[in-house]
Amino acid sequence: MAPLLLVALFLNACGSSGASLAAAGPPDSTNADTVSSPTGPVPPPPADTTPGPPTDTLIPPPDSSPGGPTIIPVHEGIPYGPFHLPATMYGPDFNGAYHAPWMGPLVEDLELARRTNTQVLLNLTASSVHFSDANGFNMARWKQLVDRFRGLDLNSYIEDGTIVGHFLLDEPNDPTNYGGKEVTLDQIEEMARYSKEIWPTMATLIRAWPAKLKGYPFKSLDAAWAQYASRLGPINPWMASNIADAKASGLALVMGLNLLNGGSSSSGIPGLRAGKFAMSADEIRTWGKVMLDEPYVCAFFIWKYNEQYFARPDVKAALLELNDQAKKHPRQECRRH
């Protein structure tokens, strides 16, 4: 096997943290409960000081040396796991993970995922602060960030299922993330088209409500995303609505839970943001099982890993129950229907 290029790209951005489940938060803002109004003008994209993929760091992955074993991952059910899970924790508790540029060297972590039968969702551009300015979403800047990975041959990871897909953007309908303007459906389709120009067989996903995508003739976007929080009302009608909207657009559907800010006040567990609550074990178990009973769901990602919260015995037990259910879920690729 030809040597693989080892890439380590770190992008610095501003994260938010709360007082209760305080942990050094990662620099992206993936969260279903967004701030209701801007806290100030979105800064222009930072100076691009991150070097591109090196051309002289050719390091064969650990199990791909000549004569070494060929790793063929075994994936059960659908991908299930938390955002921001450290790669060192890939393993039996979660068979899915999210990877952003600041989290570690991409190919090295993909090799680790392959060896642990973990399926990875790739974010190649980090948070919106890197590709937004006073005029809103900056397509040129977004493409520049994606282009840093253009030279990587990701085909083997796509083909064996190690890569779930390309996470294009978070919450395009929240203007507070993009200089006060929503990202348009035309722009979403162009991002998906651009991704497939580079990696034709990699699925494209965006974390946007299916209702916000209805009526547009997408050709390159593969999947929408619906993440549940208690404030959204009873889960069964909420699910039925999102599934119907995704099907109307021919899109696959990712679902998940906002663990840290999406619980009800009855959980008694303060969330990351004032006035918010983390989900109790019973809420995780009840809502997660309802969602994982739906065969249309192609992946299940939860927001987000927090060491203190995940260490709670009751929470850990509930999450492991969902892990077992996700492994029994009918296989479903996150691709257009």
Side-chain angles (χ1 to χ4, degrees):
M1 181 180 296
L4 293 174
L5 180 64
L6 183 61
V7 175
L9 294 176
F10 296 90
L11 298 176
N12 295 322
C14 297
S16 62
S17 61
S20 302
L21 295 175
D28 64 352
S29 58
T30 306
N31 182 0
D33 289 336
T34 55
V35 180
S36 58
S37 60
T39 56
V42 176
D48 183 5
T49 58
T50 306
T55 57
D56 57 351
T57 311
L58 300 177
I59 304 174
D63 295 300
S64 303
S65 56
T70 299
I71 303 299
I72 301 176
V74 177
H75 299 130
E76 301 178 81
I78 59 173
Y80 160 75
F83 272 58
H84 310 152
L85 183 71
T88 53
M89 296 182 66
Y90 290 177
D93 291 351
F94 303 102
N95 67 353
Y98 161 95
H99 192 289
W102 51 267
M103 294 183 69
L106 176 56
V107 172
E108 182 176 287
D109 286 351
L110 286 174
E111 281 297 318
L112 180 56
R114 174 180 274 166
R115 296 195 302 275
T116 57
N117 303 314
T118 303
Q119 294 188 271
V120 176
L121 179 63
L122 297 183
N123 175 346
L124 300 177
T125 55
S127 66
S128 60
V129 68
H130 293 281
F131 44 83
S132 298
D133 54 34
N135 296 315
F137 172 71
N138 187 321
M139 179 70 76
R141 176 61 178 165
W142 183 89
K143 289 181 177 180
Q144 288 174 355
L145 293 173
V146 172
D147 282 345
R148 295 173 183 229
F149 299 88
R150 180 181 281 270
L152 284 181
D153 182 2
L154 300 176
N155 289 331
S156 67
Y157 301 106
I158 297 169
E159 290 170 1
D160 69 15
T162 298
I163 293 178
V164 176
H166 183 182
F167 181 93
L168 302 174
L169 200 70
D170 184 43
E171 296 180 320
N173 306 113
D174 182 2
T176 66
N177 288 333
Y178 304 101
K181 301 176 183 178
E182 293 187 10
V183 180
T184 69
L185 298 180
D186 284 339
Q187 288 173 323
I188 291 172
E189 173 63 10
E190 173 56 18
M191 283 185 277
R193 185 209 63 79
Y194 193 74
S195 176
K196 287 186 180 291
E197 176 185 294
I198 305 172
W199 303 286
T201 60
M202 183 156 61
T204 54
L205 303 86
I206 191 161
R207 199 167 79 81
W209 297 109
K212 296 290 187 179
L213 304 173
K214 283 175 64 175
Y216 188 91
F218 288 107
K219 296 181 180 179
S220 299
L221 184 68
D222 285 304
W225 195 307
Q227 182 167 276
Y228 183 73
S230 63
R231 65 179 177 82
L232 298 172
I235 191 168
N236 287 298
W238 174 88
M239 279 190 59
S241 175
N242 278 283
I243 291 166
D245 289 338
K247 287 181 176 179
S249 298
L251 297 173
L253 184 61
V254 178
M255 282 193 163
L257 296 172
N258 183 348
L259 295 182
L260 301 187
N261 285 326
S264 69
S265 58
S266 64
S267 79
I269 308 172
L272 288 180
R273 188 174 296 145
K276 300 293 184 181
F277 292 87
M279 291 184 180
S280 68
D282 285 343
E283 289 172 339
I284 294 170
R285 187 178 290 110
T286 300
W287 295 332
K289 285 186 175 181
V290 170
M291 298 171 86
L292 285 168
D293 275 340
E294 171 52 53
Y296 197 76
V297 176
C298 70
F300 192 91
F301 286 98
I302 48 184
W303 193 87
K304 61 178 178 173
Y305 177 74
N306 177 283
E307 184 176 3
Q308 178 184 344
Y309 178 73
F310 276 53
R312 291 176 58 109
D314 55 342
V315 167
K316 183 174 182 179
L319 292 175
L320 288 176
E321 287 181 31
L322 296 190
N323 180 46
D324 291 339
Q325 188 174 356
K327 288 182 177 180
K328 297 173 183 176
H329 191 284
R331 293 286 296 167
Q332 185 76 267
E333 289 194 2
C334 291
R335 297 186 183 277
R336 291 186 58 78
H337 292 272

Short mmCIF file of all heavy atoms in Angstrom, two decimals, residues 79-101:
data_model
loop_
_atom_site.label_atom_id
_atom_site.label_comp_id
_atom_site.label_asym_id
_atom_site.label_seq_id
_atom_site.Cartn_x
_atom_site.Cartn_y
_atom_site.Cartn_z
N PRO A 79 -23.92 4.64 12.46
CA PRO A 79 -22.98 5.37 13.31
C PRO A 79 -23.69 6.03 14.49
O PRO A 79 -24.74 6.66 14.32
CB PRO A 79 -22.39 6.42 12.36
CG PRO A 79 -22.64 5.89 10.99
CD PRO A 79 -23.91 5.12 11.06
N TYR A 80 -23.10 5.91 15.66
CA TYR A 80 -23.65 6.48 16.88
C TYR A 80 -22.51 6.95 17.76
O TYR A 80 -21.58 6.19 18.05
CB TYR A 80 -24.48 5.42 17.63
CG TYR A 80 -24.69 5.71 19.10
CD1 TYR A 80 -25.60 6.68 19.51
CD2 TYR A 80 -23.98 5.02 20.07
CE1 TYR A 80 -25.79 6.95 20.86
CE2 TYR A 80 -24.16 5.28 21.43
CZ TYR A 80 -25.07 6.25 21.81
OH TYR A 80 -25.26 6.51 23.14
N GLY A 81 -22.55 8.21 18.17
CA GLY A 81 -21.51 8.71 19.05
C GLY A 81 -21.61 10.21 19.26
O GLY A 81 -22.41 10.90 18.62
N PRO A 82 -20.79 10.74 20.15
CA PRO A 82 -20.85 12.17 20.47
C PRO A 82 -19.89 13.00 19.63
O PRO A 82 -18.84 12.53 19.18
CB PRO A 82 -20.42 12.20 21.94
CG PRO A 82 -19.47 11.06 22.06
CD PRO A 82 -19.95 10.00 21.10
N PHE A 83 -20.27 14.25 19.42
CA PHE A 83 -19.33 15.23 18.89
C PHE A 83 -18.18 15.38 19.88
O PHE A 83 -18.35 15.26 21.09
CB PHE A 83 -20.03 16.58 18.73
CG PHE A 83 -20.70 16.77 17.41
CD1 PHE A 83 -21.69 15.90 16.98
CD2 PHE A 83 -20.35 17.83 16.58
CE1 PHE A 83 -22.32 16.07 15.77
CE2 PHE A 83 -20.97 18.01 15.36
CZ PHE A 83 -21.96 17.14 14.95
N HIS A 84 -16.99 15.65 19.33
CA HIS A 84 -15.81 15.99 20.10
C HIS A 84 -15.28 14.85 20.96
O HIS A 84 -14.59 15.09 21.96
CB HIS A 84 -16.06 17.24 20.97
CG HIS A 84 -16.66 18.38 20.21
ND1 HIS A 84 -17.46 19.33 20.78
CD2 HIS A 84 -16.59 18.69 18.89
CE1 HIS A 84 -17.85 20.19 19.86
NE2 HIS A 84 -17.32 19.82 18.72
N LEU A 85 -15.58 13.63 20.58
CA LEU A 85 -15.01 12.49 21.28
C LEU A 85 -13.52 12.39 20.95
O LEU A 85 -13.15 12.33 19.78
CB LEU A 85 -15.72 11.20 20.85
CG LEU A 85 -15.28 9.91 21.55
CD1 LEU A 85 -15.79 9.92 22.99
CD2 LEU A 85 -15.82 8.69 20.80
N PRO A 86 -12.64 12.37 21.95
CA PRO A 86 -11.21 12.23 21.65
C PRO A 86 -10.94 10.91 20.92
O PRO A 86 -11.54 9.88 21.23
CB PRO A 86 -10.57 12.22 23.04
CG PRO A 86 -11.56 12.91 23.93
CD PRO A 86 -12.90 12.53 23.39
N ALA A 87 -10.05 10.95 19.96
CA ALA A 87 -9.75 9.76 19.18
C ALA A 87 -9.25 8.61 20.05
O ALA A 87 -9.45 7.44 19.73
CB ALA A 87 -8.73 10.08 18.09
N THR A 88 -8.62 8.94 21.17
CA THR A 88 -8.14 7.90 22.07
C THR A 88 -9.28 7.11 22.70
O THR A 88 -9.05 6.05 23.27
CB THR A 88 -7.29 8.53 23.19
OG1 THR A 88 -8.04 9.56 23.83
CG2 THR A 88 -6.00 9.10 22.63
N MET A 89 -10.51 7.61 22.56
CA MET A 89 -11.66 6.93 23.14
C MET A 89 -12.48 6.18 22.08
O MET A 89 -13.55 5.65 22.40
CB MET A 89 -12.56 7.93 23.87
CG MET A 89 -11.89 8.58 25.08
SD MET A 89 -12.99 9.72 25.96
CE MET A 89 -14.23 8.58 26.59
N TYR A 90 -11.99 6.15 20.83
CA TYR A 90 -12.67 5.34 19.83
C TYR A 90 -12.67 3.89 20.32
O TYR A 90 -11.66 3.39 20.81
CB TYR A 90 -11.94 5.40 18.49
CG TYR A 90 -12.02 6.72 17.75
CD1 TYR A 90 -11.33 6.90 16.56
CD2 TYR A 90 -12.76 7.79 18.24
CE1 TYR A 90 -11.39 8.10 15.87
CE2 TYR A 90 -12.81 8.99 17.56
CZ TYR A 90 -12.11 9.15 16.37
OH TYR A 90 -12.16 10.34 15.69
N GLY A 91 -13.77 3.23 20.19
CA GLY A 91 -13.82 1.85 20.65
C GLY A 91 -15.23 1.35 20.79
O GLY A 91 -16.14 1.83 20.13
N PRO A 92 -15.46 0.40 21.68
CA PRO A 92 -16.75 -0.30 21.72
C PRO A 92 -17.92 0.51 22.23
O PRO A 92 -19.06 0.18 21.94
CB PRO A 92 -16.46 -1.49 22.66
CG PRO A 92 -15.34 -1.01 23.54
CD PRO A 92 -14.49 -0.17 22.63
N ASP A 93 -17.68 1.59 23.01
CA ASP A 93 -18.79 2.34 23.59
C ASP A 93 -19.55 3.16 22.56
O ASP A 93 -20.74 3.46 22.75
CB ASP A 93 -18.31 3.26 24.71
CG ASP A 93 -17.86 2.48 25.93
OD1 ASP A 93 -18.08 1.26 25.97
OD2 ASP A 93 -17.28 3.10 26.84
N PHE A 94 -18.85 3.57 21.50
CA PHE A 94 -19.46 4.36 20.44
C PHE A 94 -18.87 3.89 19.11
O PHE A 94 -17.66 3.73 18.99
CB PHE A 94 -19.17 5.85 20.62
CG PHE A 94 -19.63 6.41 21.94
CD1 PHE A 94 -18.72 6.64 22.96
CD2 PHE A 94 -20.97 6.69 22.16
CE1 PHE A 94 -19.13 7.14 24.18
CE2 PHE A 94 -21.40 7.20 23.37
CZ PHE A 94 -20.48 7.41 24.39
N ASN A 95 -19.73 3.71 18.11
CA ASN A 95 -19.21 3.29 16.80
C ASN A 95 -19.20 4.43 15.79
O ASN A 95 -19.01 4.23 14.60
CB ASN A 95 -20.01 2.10 16.25
CG ASN A 95 -21.44 2.46 15.92
OD1 ASN A 95 -21.90 3.56 16.20
ND2 ASN A 95 -22.15 1.53 15.31
N GLY A 96 -19.43 5.67 16.29
CA GLY A 96 -19.39 6.85 15.44
C GLY A 96 -18.68 7.99 16.13
O GLY A 96 -18.67 8.07 17.37
N ALA A 97 -18.09 8.90 15.37
CA ALA A 97 -17.38 10.03 15.94
C ALA A 97 -17.36 11.17 14.94
O ALA A 97 -17.57 10.97 13.73
CB ALA A 97 -15.95 9.65 16.32
N TYR A 98 -17.09 12.35 15.44
CA TYR A 98 -17.00 13.58 14.65
C TYR A 98 -15.55 14.05 14.68
O TYR A 98 -14.92 14.03 15.74
CB TYR A 98 -17.95 14.60 15.26
CG TYR A 98 -17.73 16.06 14.92
CD1 TYR A 98 -18.44 16.67 13.88
CD2 TYR A 98 -16.88 16.85 15.69
CE1 TYR A 98 -18.28 18.02 13.61
CE2 TYR A 98 -16.71 18.20 15.43
CZ TYR A 98 -17.42 18.78 14.39
OH TYR A 98 -17.27 20.13 14.13
N HIS A 99 -15.04 14.48 13.53
CA HIS A 99 -13.65 14.92 13.48
C HIS A 99 -13.58 16.29 12.83
O HIS A 99 -14.06 16.50 11.72
CB HIS A 99 -12.79 13.94 12.68
CG HIS A 99 -11.32 14.19 12.83
ND1 HIS A 99 -10.67 15.26 12.27
CD2 HIS A 99 -10.35 13.49 13.49
CE1 HIS A 99 -9.39 15.22 12.58
NE2 HIS A 99 -9.17 14.16 13.32
N ALA A 100 -13.00 17.25 13.55
CA ALA A 100 -12.77 18.59 13.03
C ALA A 100 -11.26 18.85 12.99
O ALA A 100 -10.49 18.17 13.66
CB ALA A 100 -13.46 19.63 13.92
N PRO A 101 -10.82 19.85 12.21
CA PRO A 101 -9.38 20.06 12.01
C PRO A 101 -8.58 20.25 13.28
O PRO A 101 -7.42 19.86 13.35
CB PRO A 101 -9.33 21.32 11.14
CG PRO A 101 -10.62 21.31 10.40
CD PRO A 101 -11.63 20.75 11.36
#
